[in-house]
Amino acid sequence: VQLVESGGGLVQAGGSLTLSCAASGQILSSWIVAWFRQAPGKEREFVSAITWTRGTTYYTDSVLGRFVISRDNAKNMVYLQMNVLKPEDAAVYYCATGLVLSHRDPDHYDYWGQGTQVTVSS
């Protein structure tokens, strides 16, 4: 499975961006697709995840109510709509997938994209 993220860029605080994750290869029905982010000097942190079959969603507290994760199974795409962006949301955002036991733990994911930069100006 190969993952390619897109949609990052520069946005003013309070603005919106939608990230896309395109998957080539088969995402198995039991897998989860997640977004993580990593800011300079910080560890990679969980942002949001969605189960491939049922579409059950998970969010970290800091983005709850502002970010929305969705998927298009037919297109093998996962999206992260980010609203009311804050300077602390600035990071490289990564898409990841695999058969995971703990969706918040990056070590559980087998496949990663190259990342897309999100910059938020204050």
Side-chain angles (χ1 to χ4, degrees), residues 33-113:
V33 181
W35 288 94
F36 287 80
R37 64 188 180 188
Q38 188 167 20
K42 295 188 177 182
E43 293 186 351
R44 192 168 296 190
E45 67 167 342
F46 170 78
V47 177
S48 182
I50 188 166
T51 60
W52 192 244
T53 299
R54 293 189 176 184
T56 303
T57 58
Y58 306 90
Y59 298 94
T60 192
D61 287 346
S62 63
V63 308
L64 197 61
R66 299 188 298 123
F67 290 12
V68 178
I69 191 170
S70 62
R71 83 219 188 283
D72 185 331
N73 297 60
K75 295 181 179 180
N76 262 19
M77 295 288 294
V78 174
Y79 307 96
L80 185 68
Q81 180 179 346
M82 306 186 295
N83 303 312
V84 194
L85 282 161
K86 304 176 181 179
E88 52 263 42
D89 294 318
V92 177
Y93 282 70
Y94 297 91
C95 179
T97 191
L99 178 62
V100 303
L101 298 179
S102 173
H103 60 267
R104 297 178 182 270
D105 188 345
D107 291 338
H108 283 226
Y109 289 82
D110 299 311
Y111 304 97
W112 290 83

Side-chain angles (χ1 to χ4, degrees), residues 27-40:
I27 297 179
L28 301 183
S29 60
S30 56
W31 287 11
I32 285 176
V33 181
W35 288 94
F36 287 80
R37 64 188 180 188
Q38 188 167 20

